[in-house]
Amino acid sequence: MALAASIDSLSVIDHVGNIFTFCGGLGMFLYGMHIMSDGIQRSAGDQMRQLLGILTNNRVLAILVGALITAIIQSSGATTVMVVGFVNAGLMGLGQAVGVSMGANIGTCITAWIVSMESLGDAFQAMSPSLYAPLLIGIGAFFAMFAKKQGKKLAGQILVGLGLLFLGLDFMKDGVSIYTELPIFINAFRLFGENPILGIAIGALVTALMQSSSASVGILQMLASTGGVVTTASAVYISLGSNIGSCVTALISSVGTPRNAKRAAVIHLSFNVIGTILFGVGGFILFRIFHALGEAAINSVGISIFHTIFNIACTVLLFPFADFLVKLSGKLVPEKKKIHRESDTEEKTAYRHLDERILESPAFAVESVRKEVIHMGKVTLDNVRLAMESVYDRDPEKIKKVYENEKTINNLDKILTEYLVKVNNLSLSEDQHFIIRNLFYTINDIERVGDHAENIAEKAEYMFKNDFTFSSMGAEDLKIIADKAIRAYANAVDCRETNSRDSLRKVISMEDDVDMLEEEFRDKHIARLSSGECNTSSGVVFLEIMGDLERISDHAMNIAGYVKDEM
């Protein structure tokens, strides 16, 4: 009665104010999570990039990587979306995707434990995060605005995010605390506890709408800390449902992707559904036997403990059945029968590899586009070699192939540039921005090398149509300088791929050799022209091809120079 009278005494303005307070708190909580994870990602940029190298067929490592990534970006849904992107891009197989998806669920527990720190305030007021939230925001803002070093700025961003998260929880609690003891609240959570299907459905729906199981579990923990309204049974079922709801983002993201990418999303869903069924049935039986346990109130720490036990136990129980989950996904997403399937073009492959889902993590996006730039470099290297073969052989088919490849190189240039622009607009560290800038320059140099390959093919076509060749001495000189120029460019591509100092030294040495050989062979060629050993038409072509080769070695030096700057 006292509660009803208290609520009745509130004016319309008070009720609206409470709604605004709750909405503002929810906004601060979500935004705090966002900028905190953004700061952590940027701080751990290089380390996250190296995680791609850890993603091997070792599923234990894949689980650890999945947990770590999710702990950083604060969303298992976002991690699974990235997994779909990785599978679609060919960076990860389904066997690895199983492990990462399992680890993603474990990683969500970090946010739950951060939120549950608020409960420490009940027993230890001096340790309450809410007490320090304004101070965290103040210190963080000071570092973010006035610190000169990037590391301190990012640390400030993380502190602001953490402070906003706790402050948001306080606002939400203030907005709803007066209502949580109303019969409608109490009856609702009792109903969720008595009806597992309804409780799981509510958890899944809220998580699907919020696109984050960490956020939905955090709100559940906030309600649990307002005064015993949340029962143990309802918390268990809603938490189980939140794991299923976290799969919705990846399922939506997989629409329109190839079969394997869809299967990656289905694997995560299957894993969570099986785990939910096992624990849901077990919880239902347990709470029927121990009815008082199910109706007992639970606090935010208790929710964190269950959330952690559930996700770790599911991983341990289903880990031996990882191959079964892969096979199950194959049954749920069967192969479509096709009479004929054309092979993917370089452009289609690039579009698939530069999957926009990977943009969820800037560090992985940087690594993904870096690999595609290297691939473009290798495609161009093959075209340079083919162009020189067309000169030696005067083969019209090889000349035609060089022209076709040049169109592909130009298309790759456009695709990669567009993706680099998107990556450059993400939250990157200074080092990552530097790498992206160098990749822009590298693409330009690679495209120019492709142009020189086309120029060489045009000279070969001219020789073929006019039926003339170089002298034996001229042909030998051309092979020597071509070999040096091509090797310089090949080592530049390798330097970009491996950061090899040995390849860098080779590029510098070979570029010097090409410059000296071009000057030497030019003088020798003029002497041959003067003595009548070469005709004028072939002489002009010879000098132009040497010029193209010298330019190729210059671009190789540029590419290696960018890597040197990064070192």
Side-chain angles (χ1 to χ4, degrees), residues 519-531:
E519 187 175 346
E520 177 188 341
F521 292 164
R522 184 181 295 273
D523 292 340
K524 286 171 64 178
H525 181 65
I526 291 172
R528 286 196 298 272
L529 284 173
S530 300
S531 63

Side-chain angles (χ1 to χ4, degrees), residues 158-335:
I158 294 168
L159 288 176
V160 169
L162 193 59
L164 283 175
L165 188 152
F166 289 124
L167 207 58
L169 283 171
D170 263 7
F171 269 65
M172 284 193 288
K173 196 183 298 182
D174 291 343
V176 302
S177 58
I178 196 169
Y179 305 106
T180 53
E181 292 183 30
L182 286 174
I184 188 172
F185 260 92
I186 296 170
N187 292 334
F189 278 101
R190 184 176 290 120
L191 178 62
F192 297 153
E194 292 175 353
N195 190 327
I197 295 175
L198 183 59
I200 291 170
I202 289 295
L205 179 62
V206 172
T207 302
L209 291 174
M210 300 192 69
Q211 302 280 292
S212 171
S213 61
S214 297
S216 62
V217 172
I219 292 173
L220 179 66
Q221 289 177 285
M222 179 275 298
L223 290 171
S225 65
T226 57
V229 65
V230 180
T231 64
T232 301
S234 62
V236 167
Y237 298 139
I238 293 172
S239 295
L240 292 176
S242 72
N243 282 274
I244 294 177
S246 67
C247 304
V248 172
T249 311
L251 289 170
I252 294 172
S253 173
S254 69
V255 173
T257 60
R259 174 176 178 259
N260 268 5
K262 289 187 177 73
R263 290 179 66 189
V266 167
I267 284 172
H268 190 223
L269 176 64
S270 303
F271 172 71
N272 282 329
V273 167
I274 292 171
T276 297
I277 291 172
L278 291 175
F279 273 76
V281 171
F284 181 76
I285 295 171
L286 179 67
F287 297 139
R288 284 296 178 186
I289 297 173
F290 303 100
H291 196 69
L293 175 63
E295 290 191 341
I298 188 172
N299 60 19
S300 61
V301 175
I303 293 173
S304 296
I305 291 171
F306 170 74
H307 197 52
T308 304
I309 291 174
F310 166 70
N311 286 309
I312 292 176
C314 278
T315 300
V316 172
L317 289 171
L318 295 179
F319 181 79
F321 303 99
D323 290 332
F324 167 76
L325 291 175
V326 173
K327 291 178 181 176
L328 178 62
S329 70
K331 297 289 186 183
L332 296 174
V333 187
E335 188 77 71

